[in-house]
Amino acid sequence: RGWPASVHVIGKDILQNRKVANPALFRQAFEILCHYPAQEISYTKLLGQLQERGNTDLVKYYIELYGGAFLLYALQKYSAKEWLARSSTPKMLPACPALYTMASGKMDENDSERRGRVFELAVGAELIHFPGELFYWREKQAEVDFVFKSHSKLYAIEVKSGRKKSTKGLNAFVEKFPNARRIVITPENFLQFSQ
């Protein structure tokens, strides 16, 4: 499946059912977004990479269509104030790691940074299907990979794939939201988490 299947979904399914004025720009935006797995990307930065003119509202509409087709999700920053979450820079989450690897090419086994991104993406792709809401969190230099909210429960989730990562973000988040439960997901406990 992977990239050819997603191109088919974009080229046939979405474009046949929803109004898209510029199909080439729609496809290009999808490919660019798949290059940012589990990473924040501002709408301004995305617009700067598109070969044709677009605007923020158009890109938001495209991302909404990708999400509706279960291809790509834009996570908002967690905030107790909903309007702050809506206006935040999105963290892009392709629906499966294959979309990223197909878009960016073969992965070098020694590239720990990229391997870490793929693992974080795999965790996010699992979380997005759990009943609840998925966010990320960042405040100054402190960040949490994922924040999961289900009913009244709140989870701060850090993904560790062997890269040295500080738990400063988890500590800062729990200090700000004391009811949150900390979870650290590693390759060793991933299968247990995903079942």
Side-chain angles (χ1 to χ4, degrees), residues 127-171:
L127 287 168
I128 201 77
H129 298 295
F130 287 8
E133 294 177 274
L134 188 61
F135 305 88
Y136 75 96
W137 183 78
R138 176 191 298 281
E139 202 164 272
K140 297 178 182 173
Q141 297 303 310
E143 66 175 301
V144 172
D145 293 325
F146 298 108
V147 174
F148 183 71
K149 185 178 181 183
S150 179
H151 304 293
S152 59
K153 294 180 179 176
L154 192 63
Y155 302 89
I157 302 167
E158 190 66 33
V159 180
K160 291 187 178 289
S161 61
R163 297 177 296 165
K164 287 187 178 180
K165 284 178 80 176
S166 165
T167 55
K168 182 173 69 172
L170 280 178
N171 298 338

Side-chain angles (χ1 to χ4, degrees), residues 47-63:
L47 286 168
Q49 294 185 45
L50 292 172
Q51 291 173 355
E52 297 183 40
R53 277 192 150 170
N55 59 51
T56 301
D57 288 338
L58 180 67
V59 171
K60 285 181 178 178
Y61 173 61
Y62 285 177
I63 291 171

Side-chain angles (χ1 to χ4, degrees), residues 10-31:
I10 289 173
K12 304 287 182 192
D13 302 344
I14 298 177
L15 296 177
Q16 282 181 1
N17 294 305
R18 298 299 291 269
K19 185 179 178 182
V20 174
N22 189 333
L25 189 67
F26 184 65
R27 289 186 189 95
Q28 186 195 9
F30 179 75
E31 190 169 345

Side-chain angles (χ1 to χ4, degrees), residues 76-96:
Q76 302 304 322
K77 178 181 169 183
Y78 181 77
S79 173
K81 297 174 181 173
E82 199 173 309
W83 66 271
L84 279 175
R86 284 197 309 268
S87 63
S88 64
T89 297
K91 180 173 182 171
M92 301 316 305
L93 191 68
C96 74

